[in-house]
Amino acid sequence: MRILLTGASGFIGQHLLRALLAEGHQLVCAQRTPREDTDPRVTVIHADFANDTEQSAWLARLSGIDAVINTVGIFREHGSQTFDRLHTQAPRALFAACAATPTVRLVIQLSALGADAGAQTRYHLSKKAADDSLAALPLRACIVQPSLVYGPDGASARAFRTLASMPFTLRFGSAPQMVQPIHIDDLVGAIAGLLRDGLPMPEGQGGAVRVPLVGPQAMPFTDYLAALRGAMGMGRLRVLPVPGALARLAARAGRFLPGALLDEDALSMLDRGNTADPALTTRLLGHPPRPVSQFIADPAAERTRAKLGWLLPILRYSIVAVWLLTALVSYGLYPVEDSYALLGRSGVPEALQPLMLYGAASFDLLLGLGILFLARRRWLWLAQLVLIGFYTVVIAVKLPEFLLHPYGPLTKNLPMLAAIWLLYELEDE
């Protein structure tokens, strides 16, 4: 078939693209930032769900299309990327255009377990609104509702592996928090099965069928983390319970922390649970979906990556603390006259000593804040290597007592330099 695939550059979209090509389909990939594909079976077009909220925007794109698969989705809103636009308005426009295009024989909507009559969060409600619109149209449609999706390259899977590798994890509240994770290969295999073999549709001109896609076993979320930990070859996971009131407070705070996994909606969805009967998944795959114990193909490599996921931030924030505390000490916590005396012994003229002291303190402050807030820090690590190296050489020559001091205030710069070099090398990772 000739298939329009939206969200083709996303995590699920990329895996689905490869699976559909392997099945022999031709793909028209709708992307917000189109990148040419060398495969002649792939055509890349521009589409932006934040703006393409009218039916007319999609009609021309559906010319000659046999099936449409919508995989666009976000977990957090950002700017114009809102739940209403990306999950509801643009999909409604796309589905209406499909209904008006005679060649389109099937629409597959990637939704989520929980996008049903009991939905409460904006994420689930926005998905449900699009699902209901699709179900009301005279179209053959499948509304795919997966549980948590695991893939080695998935952002959530990386976060969960990191949580699983830590010395302990937190359990927020007392709800069972049941999940039923499915591997990305099983998810895309099941969707390919829908295209290949289909499912019985409701009687009438069109109709939609809801398809839960889940792994073989439901388990509490902390058991999922423990299973990932075991698959990475690590020992028992220690779980610290967080009382419900404190959990809700932490979730409210998470709303204001960039990149935080936990917020009020996430906790609400976790408390509600995320499970279904795996029979339909097994039917579409032709075999049972793989268990969590088989999710990780290279335990040693994933264990190292997972540990770096929390060890590197600790290292980075400790260096932030060094620069910020150094700035505060230089601004006056350490006697200013003593600082001037050290600068004088280092060869700095008296007239320049205030400028050097407060200028260096301000630079230290900027370094700490830069590490904390800048998205690209590679040049900052280089600046720190040069600065600390310069300080070390000058102090060793001008103030040799610090080099020979029993507390090692200068020799401790060596592991500091090594740590910064490590962060420089791994910055792009």
Side-chain angles (χ1 to χ4, degrees), residues 180-203:
Q180 202 163 343
I182 183 171
H183 194 279
I184 183 65
D185 292 345
D186 290 335
L187 174 66
V188 300
I191 294 174
L194 283 172
L195 288 165
R196 184 174 56 248
D197 304 319
L199 288 172
M201 295 291 178
E203 294 183 4

Side-chain angles (χ1 to χ4, degrees), residues 54-196:
E54 298 294 332
Q55 176 181 335
S56 57
W58 293 100
L59 288 171
R61 296 167 179 160
L62 294 173
S63 177
I65 294 295
D66 302 307
V68 171
I69 304 177
N70 175 39
T71 69
V72 171
I74 55 172
F75 191 65
R76 287 283 179 87
E77 295 179 311
H78 179 72
S80 63
Q81 307 288 302
T82 65
F83 291 138
D84 183 52
R85 286 179 173 271
L86 271 65
H87 289 176
T88 304
Q89 291 188 37
R92 278 176 171 170
L94 170 60
F95 301 153
C98 290
T101 304
T103 60
V104 176
R105 306 197 305 269
L106 177 66
V107 175
I108 297 178
Q109 154 79 341
L110 188 69
S111 185
L113 277 181
D116 51 33
Q120 296 179 341
T121 65
R122 292 178 302 140
Y123 174 84
H124 276 155
L125 289 169
S126 61
K127 283 287 189 181
K128 180 182 182 299
D131 299 348
D132 291 346
S133 292
L134 177 59
L137 292 171
L139 281 167
R140 292 183 69 250
C142 294
I143 299 168
V144 175
Q145 297 177 307
S147 182
L148 294 180
V149 180
Y150 177 91
D153 53 333
S156 63
R158 284 197 300 270
F160 295 154
R161 288 195 303 269
T162 295
L163 290 174
S165 71
M166 296 177 74
F168 62 87
T169 192
L170 302 176
R171 189 183 189 286
F172 292 92
S174 58
Q177 299 179 345
M178 302 296 288
V179 296
Q180 202 163 343
I182 183 171
H183 194 279
I184 183 65
D185 292 345
D186 290 335
L187 174 66
V188 300
I191 294 174
L194 283 172
L195 288 165
R196 184 174 56 248

Side-chain angles (χ1 to χ4, degrees), residues 123-382:
Y123 174 84
H124 276 155
L125 289 169
S126 61
K127 283 287 189 181
K128 180 182 182 299
D131 299 348
D132 291 346
S133 292
L134 177 59
L137 292 171
L139 281 167
R140 292 183 69 250
C142 294
I143 299 168
V144 175
Q145 297 177 307
S147 182
L148 294 180
V149 180
Y150 177 91
D153 53 333
S156 63
R158 284 197 300 270
F160 295 154
R161 288 195 303 269
T162 295
L163 290 174
S165 71
M166 296 177 74
F168 62 87
T169 192
L170 302 176
R171 189 183 189 286
F172 292 92
S174 58
Q177 299 179 345
M178 302 296 288
V179 296
Q180 202 163 343
I182 183 171
H183 194 279
I184 183 65
D185 292 345
D186 290 335
L187 174 66
V188 300
I191 294 174
L194 283 172
L195 288 165
R196 184 174 56 248
D197 304 319
L199 288 172
M201 295 291 178
E203 294 183 4
Q205 188 176 6
V209 59
R210 284 172 168 80
V211 185
L213 294 181
V214 295
Q217 181 184 1
M219 61 187 74
F221 179 70
T222 52
D223 285 6
Y224 175 39
L225 296 182
L228 289 176
R229 185 180 178 89
M232 290 188 289
M234 303 178 71
R236 182 175 66 88
L237 179 66
R238 296 176 179 85
V239 179
L240 301 181
V242 178
L246 190 57
R248 290 188 292 273
L249 183 63
R252 282 196 292 271
R255 188 196 319 168
F256 305 101
L257 299 176
L261 291 175
L262 185 72
D263 63 12
E264 292 164 296
D265 282 359
L267 182 60
S268 174
M269 289 188 285
L270 190 61
D271 283 347
R272 186 185 172 200
N274 201 258
T275 63
D277 187 341
L280 196 50
T281 308
T282 300
R283 173 181 168 183
L284 289 168
L285 289 173
H287 57 79
R290 73 193 69 186
V292 177
S293 60
Q294 297 177 13
F295 277 8
I296 294 176
D298 189 343
E302 294 300 344
R303 183 168 63 247
T304 300
R305 293 191 189 99
K307 288 183 176 180
L308 287 175
W310 56 273
L311 288 170
L312 288 179
I314 288 176
L315 182 59
R316 185 165 62 245
Y317 294 136
S318 68
I319 292 175
V320 168
V322 168
W323 289 117
L324 295 182
L325 289 172
T326 301
L328 291 175
V329 167
S330 299
Y331 278 134
L333 290 181
Y334 186 79
V336 172
E337 293 304 321
D338 291 348
S339 295
Y340 289 160
L342 289 173
L343 288 172
R345 291 179 57 200
S346 300
V348 178
E350 184 176 353
L352 294 179
Q353 289 172 9
L355 176 62
M356 289 296 294
L357 176 61
Y358 293 110
S362 298
F363 189 60
D364 293 346
L365 178 64
L366 290 174
L367 283 175
L369 294 176
I371 300 169
L372 199 57
F373 294 112
L374 292 181
R376 297 184 179 275
R377 295 177 291 260
R378 195 172 175 85
W379 66 273
L380 273 178
W381 302 128
L382 282 177

